[in-house]
Amino acid sequence: MSDRKPIPFPILLNNEVCSLIQADEDVYQIRFKNRAANAYLMRGSARTILIDVGLSTNYPHLVECLNHVGCPPETIDMVVLSHEHLDHIGAAFHFNLSRTYVAAHRLAANKIMLRDDFSMLRKMFNEPNVPINVDIWLEEGNLIDLGNFRLNVMHTPGHTSACITLYDQDKGLLFAADTLMPGGVMGGIFGSGSIADYIQSLERIKGLNSRILLSGHGRLSDTPQDDVVIALQRSHALLADTAQLFDALDARANFEPIMQSVRDLNKLDDG
């Protein structure tokens, strides 16, 4: 057993809806106690950003946390959305009304701006049906420079096709959203997601020299390397279970109805 002591993460504010926790110098987690995803404030020397913003209904509490550390909403230069699910992006439309830029991977931006309610899980979260404008469409390899932080944009699909992870190599900060959570918990496979993509994304994260995991849900973790190993084990087990499920199906029994459908379609051409 390791004698390494866990990193203490000070709690700066705690109420019935959320907690404000200091993850590192000038880095704060806003952890909501309902279904909303975590939001992260990074106060850079050149610019200040939020990574995800939670549900719209939590916006007043998000503002309370921002004010507590002297960063009211009007001082936020950019909001970066990790993917299209409304528990992460619901409050983003509030920032469209200010000087703040909103950024997301191009695949997420397309779903958000077209208001793809199925992909955004609107029915699950019952968020206001209001437009969210994405000003900056991110790609793999982009760099978000905050002055004292430099975040590399990694396209890490799996949970959805549009997920991104942000990584500060110098400080070892890994913002993995729903791709990786403490204890190796996986965020699930939704809609456009893929377990094979998930595994590939986790393999990429495994190769990073991460120091702190700042995930989409749950606590902060100072054992990201352990977390990703567990997540890979679970994802491979899920893939194996899926293969067994399909092996259990009698493909021959389903083949004839499929071929009959093809023959029926061909008849339409003959008419």
Side-chain angles (χ1 to χ4, degrees), residues 134-159:
V134 180
D135 306 290
I136 300 172
W137 291 33
L138 298 171
E139 294 277 6
E140 164 78 28
N142 287 156
L143 180 69
I144 302 174
D145 190 349
L146 309 185
N148 55 330
F149 299 103
R150 292 167 62 86
L151 293 168
N152 292 289
V153 177
M154 301 172 60
H155 181 212
T156 49
H159 178 62

Side-chain angles (χ1 to χ4, degrees), residues 224-245:
Q225 299 304 318
D226 295 340
D227 297 332
V228 73
V229 168
I230 297 170
L232 275 166
Q233 292 170 348
R234 289 175 172 167
S235 57
H236 279 288
L238 177 60
L239 186 61
D241 290 344
T242 304
Q244 289 180 0
L245 175 64

Side-chain angles (χ1 to χ4, degrees), residues 33-105:
K33 299 176 183 179
N34 52 20
R35 301 174 74 194
N38 297 330
Y40 292 96
L41 172 68
M42 299 190 75
R43 185 164 47 194
S45 58
R47 54 193 59 86
T48 297
I49 71 168
L50 275 173
I51 301 169
D52 287 339
V53 289
L55 293 167
S56 176
T57 50
N58 288 339
Y59 181 69
H61 303 282
L62 175 66
V63 172
E64 179 184 2
C65 290
L66 295 177
N67 287 335
H68 189 82
V69 291
C71 291
E74 59 269 21
T75 66
I76 305 299
D77 296 293
M78 181 186 294
V79 166
V80 182
L81 306 177
S82 64
H83 60 291
E84 66 272 20
H85 288 166
L86 279 163
D87 56 328
H88 292 255
I89 73 169
F93 76 91
H94 293 284
F95 293 90
N96 286 151
L97 306 176
S98 66
R99 57 181 279 277
T100 305
Y101 290 101
V102 176
H105 187 269

Side-chain angles (χ1 to χ4, degrees), residues 166-220:
L166 304 176
Y167 179 56
D168 187 312
Q169 181 175 347
D170 294 335
K171 299 182 185 299
L173 301 175
L174 179 68
F175 297 88
D178 287 1
T179 300
L180 176 66
M181 286 178 270
V185 173
M186 299 169 58
I189 312 296
F190 283 82
S192 60
S194 158
I195 185 59
D197 287 344
Y198 213 132
I199 290 171
Q200 185 176 40
S201 294
L202 288 172
E203 288 287 0
R204 291 190 66 196
I205 290 174
K206 182 182 176 184
L208 304 176
N209 187 26
S210 306
R211 182 173 63 90
I212 300 175
L213 169 63
L214 307 98
S215 64
H217 299 270
R219 60 180 175 82
L220 298 159

